[in-house]
Amino acid sequence: AQSVTQLDSQVPVFEEAPVELRCNYSSSVSVYLFWYVQYPNQGLQLLLKYLSGSTLVKGINGFEAEFNKSQTSFHLRKPSVHISDTAEYFCAVTRIQGAQKLVFGQGTRLTINP
Amino acid sequence: GAGVSQSPSNKVTEKGKDVELRCDPISGHTALYWYRQRLGQGLEFLIYFQGNSAPDKSGLPSDRFSAERTGESVSTLTIQRTQQEDSAVYLCASSLELTQYFGPGTRLTVT
């Protein structure tokens, strides 16, 4: 079975500051990793995903994430945030063999203050 | 193209009543998933369809929950004898390969 831990339930930052949202996972098998964003009153939108290859993946809206297999982490970063980045961010994994359901973390609420 | 659509967007029902939630996946997507998002929590997997068969129903919380899918098209999630703890946002997703695309969800409130 897989599990995902998002270490911060809430992250407040000032506009134009950098941000890192932390995600650790546990799995006995190899996994694919995803970050989804949920803007207020909207559905989930894929930010980025790691399937294979370079461990640094770039997504939409200037976000990037780095897969660290030894630390079983997939932290999300952005060098300079905007008010419009205020949202809930979810880290998720699915096993590589027979990839099916996503297992989600509890989410991190990112609040950008002017 | 059109994304995943769900209806209704909001549903308020009395405890003990049955409800049906509908999901229209992206055309051509063979896989369809139902998840539940309780207030302030992450998403919980409910059921997965490949075509019209459901190889993984492990997330359905009780026998009051059931789902069906017509071919590679519409899916319906049915909750019988609703309870207050069923209040949540029910999300549907579809995929062709690895990436799941989510609908806007149905917010269910059981009073």
Side-chain angles (χ1 to χ4, degrees):
Chain A
Q2 292 78 48
S3 67
V4 177
T5 302
Q6 291 183 241
L7 296 156
D8 306 294
S9 59
Q10 296 187 61
V11 174
V13 296
F14 288 107
E15 195 172 16
E16 299 183 7
V19 70
E20 178 180 81
L21 306 184
R22 297 180 292 169
C23 172
N24 285 88
Y25 69 93
S26 173
S27 178
S28 56
V29 298
S30 296
V31 294
Y32 296 127
L33 300 107
F34 303 81
W35 275 99
Y36 281 85
V37 59
Q38 186 175 35
Y39 296 106
N41 301 314
Q42 295 187 29
L44 271 74
Q45 180 180 357
L46 180 68
L47 262 182
L48 49 77
K49 60 188 176 187
Y50 175 78
L51 305 181
S52 64
S54 172
T55 56
L56 182 65
V57 291
K58 295 188 182 298
I60 61 171
N61 302 337
F63 283 92
E64 63 181 32
E66 185 152 23
F67 170 53
N68 188 319
K69 188 173 183 179
S70 63
Q71 298 192 5
T72 60
S73 69
F74 191 52
H75 299 333
L76 181 71
R77 303 185 184 101
K78 185 169 182 178
S80 176
V81 295
H82 302 285
I83 293 284
S84 59
D85 293 322
T86 295
E88 187 99 21
Y89 292 79
F90 293 95
C91 181
V93 301
T94 187
R95 62 183 188 185
I96 289 177
Q97 290 297 325
Q100 299 168 2
K101 64 184 179 185
L102 289 168
V103 176
F104 284 86
Q106 295 292 86
T108 297
R109 183 171 299 279
L110 176 64
T111 303
I112 311 300
N113 299 305
Chain B
V4 177
S5 61
Q6 293 185 245
S7 61
S9 55
N10 280 284
K11 177 72 177 179
V12 180
T13 190
E14 292 180 355
K15 178 181 171 181
K17 296 285 178 81
D18 298 352
V19 295
E20 283 190 354
L21 311 180
R22 177 187 169 106
C23 172
D24 282 272
I26 293 171
S27 178
H29 280 195
T30 55
L32 186 147
Y33 308 78
W34 283 98
Y35 295 87
R36 178 170 71 174
Q37 185 178 24
R38 289 173 161 164
L39 188 63
Q41 298 187 24
L43 280 76
E44 306 170 70
F45 166 77
L46 297 177
I47 187 170
Y48 154 62
F49 286 93
Q50 183 61 44
N52 63 3
S53 67
D56 189 351
K57 306 178 184 179
S58 62
L60 294 178
S62 75
D63 58 9
R64 295 187 295 106
F65 287 71
S66 63
E68 60 181 27
R69 186 180 185 194
T70 307
E72 294 183 353
S73 183
V74 171
S75 176
T76 303
L77 177 68
T78 301
I79 309 173
Q80 295 178 310
R81 305 181 302 282
T82 51
Q83 304 294 314
Q84 287 188 330
E85 62 262 27
D86 299 334
S87 294
V89 176
Y90 289 82
L91 290 158
C92 174
S94 70
S95 72
L96 184 57
E97 295 181 344
L98 285 170
T99 301
Q100 294 184 25
Y101 296 89
F102 284 80
T106 293
R107 183 176 298 277
L108 175 66
T109 303
V110 182
T111 61

